[in-house]
Structures are given as C-alpha cells and as structure tokens.
Amino acid sequence: MASLNAISEALQKGKADEVKALVTQALEEKVEAKKVLEEGLIAGMDIIGGRFKRNEIYIPEVLIAARAMHAGMSVLEPILIESGVKMIGKLAIGTVKGDLHDIGKNLVAMMYKGAGFDVQDLGVDVAAEKFVQASDDGADLVGLSALLTTTMVQMKNVIESLKEKGSKAKIIIGGAPVTQNYCDEIGAHGYAADAATAVEIGKALIKA
Ligand code: B1M
C-alpha cells in the first residue's frame, strides 16, 4: 500500500517518477485525492520550505523537489478539479514592468503551488493593468517581484492602480532590493525576504 509519508519523502528527495507512481498507486487504492495532496505532496513541500528557510538546503534542491511536486500534481490535478476540491487561495504573481528577472519569482510561485494555492503566473515585465485584471479575475493575493532598484518603484504604481480600482486582493512584495520599510512606505500588505516566508505571510494575509 502506498503511504502518504512515502510520497512526502520521495518528493523531498526530488524523485519525480517515484512521486508520480506513488500518487497513482494511492489513488488506485482509493485514498482521497485531497488527502494525497495535503498529507503527501503539501506535507513534503512544507518540509522543503522550512529547510530552505533554515539554509539547510539551497535553490537547486528546492527546484528538484518542486519538479517532483509537479509530477505528482499532474496525476492529481484532473481529479481535484473534477471533485471540486477548493484550493486554499488564488495567487497572481509577476515580476514588475521593466524587470526580466524571474528565478526568485518562479521559486515563490512553486512554493505557493506546493502549499495548495491556485497560482497564476503573469510572467515578467508585467504592466500594472495586468495585475489589476488578475485581481478582477478573482486573485485573493497579488504578488509582485522586483530585482532592480530601478524597477521596484513600479510596485508603487501597481498598488495605486489596484487601490484605485477598489481591489480587495492582498498585496505581497519581495525581491532582493525590497525591504519591510519599502513595503510600509508604499502600502503593500506584506513583504517576504524569501520564498518560504512569502507563503507563510500569504496564508496569514488571506485569513486576516
Ligand atoms: Co541581473 N541584476 N540584471 N540578471 N541579476 C542583479 C539583480 C544585480 C544585483 C547584479 C549586480 O549588479 N550585482 C543587478 C541589480 C542592481 C540593482 O538594481 N541594485 C542586476 C542588473 C543591473 C541587471 C541588468 C540591468 C544588467 C544589464 O543589462 N546591464 C539586467 C536587467 C534586465 C532587466 O531586468 N530589464 C540584468 C539581467 C540579468 C539576466 C537576464 C542576465 C539574469 C536574469 C535571468 C532570469 O531571472 N531569468 C540576471 C541575474 C541572474 C542576476 C543575479 C545574478 C541573480 C538574481 C537571481 O536570480 N537570484 C543578480 C545578482 C544577485 O542577486 N546575486 C542580478 C536568485 C533568486 C532566487 O533570488 O530573485 O532575490 P531573488 O529571489 C529571492 C528573494 O528575493 C525572494 O524569494 C526568492 C527566493 O527565496 N523573492 C520574493 C523574490 N521575489 C519575491 C516575491 C515575493 C516574496 C519574496 O512576494 C511576491
């Protein structure tokens, strides 16, 4: 019998094929898809997030675990959609206008997927209007990433546009030059210095 713990452990080791096979086996054994997601995949990704935050592992290990998470999700997703299982929230994330850096943003997006969020990746060089559109389309959280001191100022424009349109979405920002002070100054709801913290803050923001 496929154990949920085995799925979590295979994910942490980045064994994508094994994760896929174990998820398939669990479903064949009639384990509920939601349970496989929460107690297998998300549990494994949670452990990876914590280890990354404590600097026990680094970006390559997180990316490999995320690939294994995707492999498991490719089996689970159609069943979750069919059974109407609600994701815990919807995040629309992008790198702001003028900025092409996406490694950190992708990592944040992966961590959110790993935590059970429905993630809309808007890509790089994203104009304010696209974030507004994503909020209109039902995002609970809007995530802005910037790696350049010259583009982080775009975050303020996005926040102003969202507020002007009466957006109810919570706004979380991050990226190397961004700070908590900057977050407070431009009126974002949350700031995170790394991808694991971004998920913790995002979860708290949508509960608030
Ligand atoms: Co660029 N670049 N780059 N670059 N680049 C930096 C950022 C720079 C610090 C290098 C330097 O000069 N030392 C510098 C910025 C200086 C500044 O503004 N203060 C710089 C520059 C100047 C430039 C160009 C202008 C260079 C040129 O053309 N003259 C140019 C700009 C292009 C543009 O964007 N318009 C440019 C281009 C590039 C490449 C295309 C070559 C490439 C990007 C490839 C890609 O992303 N696909 C690149 C890279 C790779 C870097 C460095 C080397 C690495 C960035 C990175 O991916 N880090 C970087 C120097 C450095 O940081 N050592 C540099 C790893 C990543 C995981 O970290 O993105 O910080 P990071 O994400 C972290 C956290 O910040 C946080 O979580 C992540 C993981 O824990 N986080 C969030 C990120 N987003 C978040 C969002 C959140 C929450 C947390 O909520 C939504």
Side-chain angles (χ1 to χ4, degrees), residues 59 98 100-104 144-145 147-149 172 174-176 192-195:
I59 293 165
L100 303 175
H101 296 84
D102 69 357
I103 299 169
L144 312 176
S145 181
L147 262 284
L148 300 171
T149 43
I172 177 164
D194 61 73

Side-chain angles (χ1 to χ4, degrees), residues 4 10 50 87 93-94 111 143 153 194 208:
L4 297 171
M87 303 301 257
I93 186 168
M111 287 286 192
V153 291
D194 61 73

Side-chain angles (χ1 to χ4, degrees), residues 52 59 91-96 98-108 112 124 142-151 155 171-178 190-199:
F52 178 58
I59 293 165
L91 165 79
I93 186 168
T95 306
V96 296
D99 200 322
L100 303 175
H101 296 84
D102 69 357
I103 299 169
K105 182 264 296 168
N106 292 345
L107 211 52
V108 174
Y112 268 94
V124 296
V142 172
L144 312 176
S145 181
L147 262 284
L148 300 171
T149 43
T150 49
T151 59
M155 291 177 160
I171 304 152
I172 177 164
I173 63 172
V178 180
Y191 155 75
D194 61 73
T197 310
V199 174

